[in-house]
Amino acid sequence: MLIGPWAAFRLSCDYGEAIENVRASVSCGEVIPDVAAADFGVTVGAGVDVALRTGVGLGLDALYSLGLKELNDAGNKTRFLAIQAGVVFVID
């Protein structure tokens, strides 16, 4: 089980749209001018590790993140669910 803070910062953004086989690229500020460049929030989650053999296992985690900052004038907040799996190695 876990709970903790997170922070995110927009490093770059490229919004592209294909119109009649011609790709038009504009900056995100022109398309979505009122969206904040930084966000922060809290994440809660749980996971399970299954041992395959000594020092090696499989892990599966589910995390739900909720932004605490309003991203635009409409009051939208970040919300996402992440499911992640991987190989777990024990390091002594």
Side-chain angles (χ1 to χ4, degrees):
M1 304 275 310
L2 69 90
I3 186 168
W6 60 266
F9 305 96
R10 183 175 58 222
L11 299 178
S12 67
C13 183
D14 181 29
Y15 179 84
E17 185 174 298
I19 301 172
E20 295 181 14
N21 297 328
V22 176
R23 181 169 164 76
S25 183
V26 296
S27 73
C28 289
E30 295 175 38
V31 178
I32 44 175
D34 64 340
V35 175
D39 194 12
F40 57 90
V42 65
T43 297
V44 295
V48 62
D49 291 343
V50 177
L52 297 178
R53 61 185 181 119
T54 304
V56 179
L58 294 177
L60 179 65
D61 301 320
L63 307 166
Y64 178 75
S65 298
L66 175 64
L68 300 177
K69 178 180 177 184
E70 291 184 355
L71 296 176
N72 57 19
D73 294 337
N76 296 329
K77 294 182 179 183
T78 301
R79 293 180 295 150
F80 61 90
L81 175 67
I83 307 293
Q84 56 191 28
V87 178
V88 178
F89 297 100
V90 177
I91 300 174
D92 290 328

